[in-house]
Amino acid sequence: GAFATLSGAFSQTERFRRESLQQRIDTHELRWANAEARLARLLHDNEKYDEAEPVYRRATDTFRVLGRYEQAAPAMLDYADILIARGRKASDDRDAALAERLLMDTIDMVNALPKPDRGLLRATYERLRVLYGPEFWDDPAALEEVNATIERLSAEPPQPAN
């Protein structure tokens, strides 16, 4: 009887300790991801795309693992921007394909948020417009669909401020 009670108390205490530790780790990881996203943005602004890419990748991966989609989506949009810019310079279809995947994931994430940010959605579709335009893939059907979505998003009334 007493052993079973003590054993149950230990497992309950251990579960609480692990949950508390996980919260501290998540908080630390989130702070680190935010710092990496800021560093990547600085590198990006200085056109150091090759240096910014792995930093964006780490930050977006961490945001996604932590389920922080509201922070992952803007970082993924910035990450796609550098891939598009780099793809323009090198005519590299791999960068464009990765940018497209990131942009599609960004759309899914933003739409899954309780209050989707239409400005972020519009910006994401504008990047897709570049990829589907003549500069990259010249896909008139996809471009038409993207343009229609941008028009729809632009025609919707502004979102109330939070």
Side-chain angles (χ1 to χ4, degrees):
F3 178 74
T5 303
L6 289 175
S7 177
F10 172 77
S11 62
Q12 186 175 14
T13 303
E14 185 65 11
R15 187 179 70 241
F16 175 75
R17 187 188 68 75
R18 286 182 184 203
E19 288 171 2
S20 176
L21 181 60
Q22 187 61 50
Q23 287 175 337
R24 286 195 312 258
I25 290 169
D26 289 353
T27 300
H28 172 76
E29 291 297 316
L30 181 59
R31 287 182 184 147
W32 187 251
N34 281 316
E36 284 190 310
R38 286 190 301 274
L39 173 60
R41 184 74 226 173
L42 288 170
L43 293 167
H44 179 169
D45 289 345
N46 287 294
E47 297 182 11
K48 296 182 177 186
Y49 303 135
D50 290 339
E51 293 175 48
E53 181 187 6
V55 183
Y56 271 130
R57 190 178 330 110
R58 284 192 307 269
T60 58
D61 287 351
T62 302
F63 287 139
R64 291 172 88 166
V65 165
L66 295 174
R68 300 304 293 253
Y69 302 128
E70 71 283 356
Q71 290 168 290
M76 289 170 61
L77 183 61
D78 288 342
Y79 182 9
D81 277 344
I82 67 166
L83 294 169
I84 291 169
R86 198 169 66 185
R88 278 187 180 127
K89 289 182 179 181
S91 300
D92 187 349
D93 202 44
R94 289 175 302 179
D95 279 340
L98 178 54
E100 180 189 37
R101 189 180 53 111
L102 284 167
L103 293 169
M104 294 299 194
D105 286 352
T106 301
I107 290 167
D108 290 343
M109 280 184 194
V110 172
N111 282 325
L113 293 173
K115 290 186 178 185
D117 181 337
R118 285 197 314 267
L120 185 57
L121 281 173
R122 207 171 21 255
T124 305
Y125 279 103
E126 287 167 0
R127 274 36 167 226
L128 284 171
R129 181 183 349 202
V130 171
L131 290 176
Y132 297 145
E135 190 176 355
F136 280 93
W137 293 328
D138 199 17
D139 184 340
L143 189 58
E144 185 178 328
E145 186 178 329
V146 166
N147 284 332
T149 302
I150 291 170
E151 281 184 42
R152 182 182 50 76
L153 288 168
S154 298
E156 292 177 1
Q159 293 172 299
N162 291 336

